[in-house]
């Protein structure tokens, strides 16, 4: 009898990176798969007992995982690194999926829609023996992925040993009053037309700053990380606003949280040279204001000259952010597991 085929295939990021597609079932078709990306230095499995734990990374909206440096930073800190391209994003947007007229990429009506993706990814980690009996499990998220990660941690107390957030979208632009005013209006619209694509894509000049196809240094697949954004849907915007409202009430997370942001924002429709060294997508003042709403053990770090994704900033800035992240990871202690609070069951759909 021949051995079953290896579910891991070479990834677009090259040596050390492999990808595995997991089926989430037909309920989210045409976006019914998620993709787990694994980094192993030299493509060699880690020696038993050599790791502190594992990191699972969630990308932001209109985005996917492509930062090989971040994976190497976590590996150097003693952690196995995995990233998750959520359904409707990144590596799941094959030519066949993109050819389907319905099913807007990035659409969701609740950030809990991604619980199945995360459950499947954690099953994949478990198959690899991670994080292990004494290992730490860290969920890491950027922008909307940071908000998704925080909400997942709130719904699954005791599952994580740390939460690392890179410019998480945990507060509305400008002030909380903006979110409070928009929330009921968008909620009503989401009830009526949840998946109606609004052909008004956002342009923050961020792509210009980071992509090697423009004036940046990062190799980015423009199908998976477009120059503007995916089409906005009322369901998606409502999901974000509702989650931000929950953060503002206080998530009361009892675990170490690291929040990394740029020192300043520069959000405007026209180009400015200041955009090369600022967050052009989110209001970092709001992120810092709401960081304390996440939990009881929050470490906040801001970086002069950082862009929206701190770990995509120019080299000197991102090296400082990498050092802080690595030090925080090395300092994490294994927490005693706690029972999860009652709530909606999450369905794991990773293949055997």
């Amino acid at each position: 009898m021949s051995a079953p085929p290896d579910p891991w295939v070479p990834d677009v990021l090259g040596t050390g990176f492999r990808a595995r597609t997991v089926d989430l079932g037909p309920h989210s078709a045409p976006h019914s798969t998620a993709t787990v990306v694994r980094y192993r230095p030299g493509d060699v499995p880690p020696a038993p007992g050599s790791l502190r734990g594992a990191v699972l990374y969630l990308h932001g909206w209109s985005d996917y995982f492509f930062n090989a440096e971040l994976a190497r930073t976590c590996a150097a800190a003693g952690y196995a690194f995995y990233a998750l391209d959520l359904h409707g994003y990144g590596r799941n947007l094959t030519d066949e999926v993109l050819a389907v007229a319905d099913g807007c990429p990035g659409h969701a009506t609740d950030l809990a829609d991604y619980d199945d993706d995360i459950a499947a990814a954690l099953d994949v980690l478990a198959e690899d023996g991670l994080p292990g009996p004494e290992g730490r499990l860290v969920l890491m998220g950027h922008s909307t992925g940071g908000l998704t990660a925080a909400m997942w941690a709130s719904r699954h107390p005791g599952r994580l040993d740390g939460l690392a957030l890179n410019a998480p979208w945990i507060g509305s632009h400008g002030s909380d009053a903006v979110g409070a005013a928009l929330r009921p209006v968008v909620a009503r619209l989401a009830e009526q037309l949840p998946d109606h694509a609004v052909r008004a894509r956002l342009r923050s000049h961020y792509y210009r700053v980071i992509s090697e196809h423009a004036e940046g240094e990062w190799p980015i697949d423009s199908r998976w990380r477009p120059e503007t954004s995916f089409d906005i849907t009322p369901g998606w915007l409502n999901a974000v606003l509702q989650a931000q409202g929950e953060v503002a009430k206080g998530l009361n997370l009892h675990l170490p949280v690291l929040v990394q942001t740029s020192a300043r924002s520069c959000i405007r429709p026209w180009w400015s040279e200041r955009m090369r060294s600022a967050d052009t997508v989110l209001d970092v003042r709001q992120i810092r204001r709401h960081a304390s709403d996440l939990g009881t053990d929050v470490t906040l770090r801001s970086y002069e000259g950082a862009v929206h994704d701190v770990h995509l900033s120019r080299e000197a800035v991102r090296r400082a952010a990498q050092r802080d992240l690595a030090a925080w990871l090395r300092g994490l202690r294994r927490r005693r597991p706690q029972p999860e609070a009652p709530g909606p069951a999450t369905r794991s759909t990773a293949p055997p």
Side-chain angles (χ1 to χ4, degrees):
M1 180 180 295
S2 60
D6 186 354
W8 294 97
V9 299
D11 186 61
V12 295
L13 293 178
T15 303
F17 292 91
R18 297 183 74 82
R20 175 174 174 176
T21 299
V22 293
D23 186 7
L24 302 175
H27 66 285
S28 57
H31 303 302
S32 55
T33 64
T35 302
V36 182
V37 179
R38 180 179 71 189
Y39 173 63
R40 285 180 172 175
D43 281 321
V44 178
S50 64
L51 295 173
R52 287 185 168 90
V55 168
L56 177 62
Y57 173 89
L58 307 183
H59 57 77
W61 187 54
S62 300
D63 209 348
Y64 71 105
F65 174 70
F66 59 86
N67 190 340
E69 278 190 13
L70 181 62
R72 296 185 184 106
T73 295
C74 294
Y79 284 75
F81 182 87
Y82 294 73
L84 178 60
D85 277 8
L86 300 165
H87 71 265
Y89 287 92
R91 292 163 177 81
N92 307 292
L93 298 179
T94 62
D95 291 339
E96 291 78 12
V97 169
L98 289 170
V100 177
D102 59 342
C104 184
H107 171 67
T109 56
D110 190 320
L111 296 186
D113 291 351
Y114 300 115
D115 278 12
D116 282 357
D117 304 54
I118 296 172
L122 292 177
D123 279 353
V124 169
L125 266 69
E127 287 183 30
D128 284 349
L130 295 165
E134 300 301 323
R136 292 90 169 145
L137 178 62
V138 176
L139 192 58
M140 182 182 297
H142 166 60
S143 197
T144 312
L147 179 61
T148 301
M151 297 306 297
W152 189 91
S154 177
R155 291 191 300 274
H156 299 81
R159 293 290 304 277
L160 298 175
D161 299 290
L163 182 66
L165 305 178
N166 172 4
W169 195 9
I170 54 177
S172 302
H173 289 335
S175 71
D176 293 343
V178 174
L182 285 175
R183 203 165 286 121
V185 176
V186 174
R188 287 195 294 271
L189 186 58
E191 288 180 2
Q192 300 167 4
L193 300 167
D195 57 355
H196 177 72
V198 179
R199 309 293 179 181
R201 300 186 175 192
L202 302 179
R203 184 184 183 91
S204 68
H205 299 287
Y206 180 50
Y207 185 92
R208 174 175 175 174
V209 171
I210 63 173
S211 174
E212 69 174 10
H213 301 298
E215 299 174 18
E217 62 179 288
W218 298 91
I220 295 173
D221 189 316
S222 58
R223 296 174 305 163
W224 300 344
R225 206 291 168 208
E227 184 174 357
T228 52
S229 72
F230 296 149
D231 290 328
I232 301 168
T233 63
W236 170 81
L237 184 56
N238 182 59
V240 170
L241 290 172
Q242 295 300 324
Q244 289 174 345
E246 292 301 310
V247 172
K249 296 174 186 176
L251 295 186
N252 197 31
L253 301 177
H254 294 284
L255 77 165
V257 180
L258 174 66
V259 177
Q260 296 179 292
T261 74
S262 176
R264 64 195 74 256
S265 295
C266 183
I267 303 173
R268 56 182 61 181
W270 57 89
W271 171 255
S272 167
E273 286 297 316
R274 291 193 298 158
M275 291 179 166
R276 300 187 191 277
S277 56
D279 191 324
T280 62
V281 180
L282 299 183
D283 186 340
V284 297
R285 295 172 302 177
Q286 282 289 89
I287 297 174
R288 292 195 289 268
R289 183 174 299 136
H290 286 287
S292 60
D293 293 330
L294 294 170
T296 57
D297 183 5
V298 178
T299 300
L300 179 61
R301 294 284 184 266
S302 298
Y303 303 89
E304 285 290 344
V307 296
H308 173 49
D309 185 332
V310 172
H311 293 281
L312 298 182
S313 305
R314 65 178 185 268
E315 185 172 5
V317 178
R318 70 177 184 264
R319 294 294 181 235
Q322 290 166 1
R323 287 192 296 270
D324 286 346
L325 172 62
W328 181 83
L329 286 171
R330 292 189 183 103
L332 287 179
R333 298 181 180 275
R334 182 72 174 91
R335 299 170 63 246
R336 180 174 300 175
Q338 302 171 8
E340 293 194 27
T346 57
R347 182 173 55 84
S348 176
T349 53

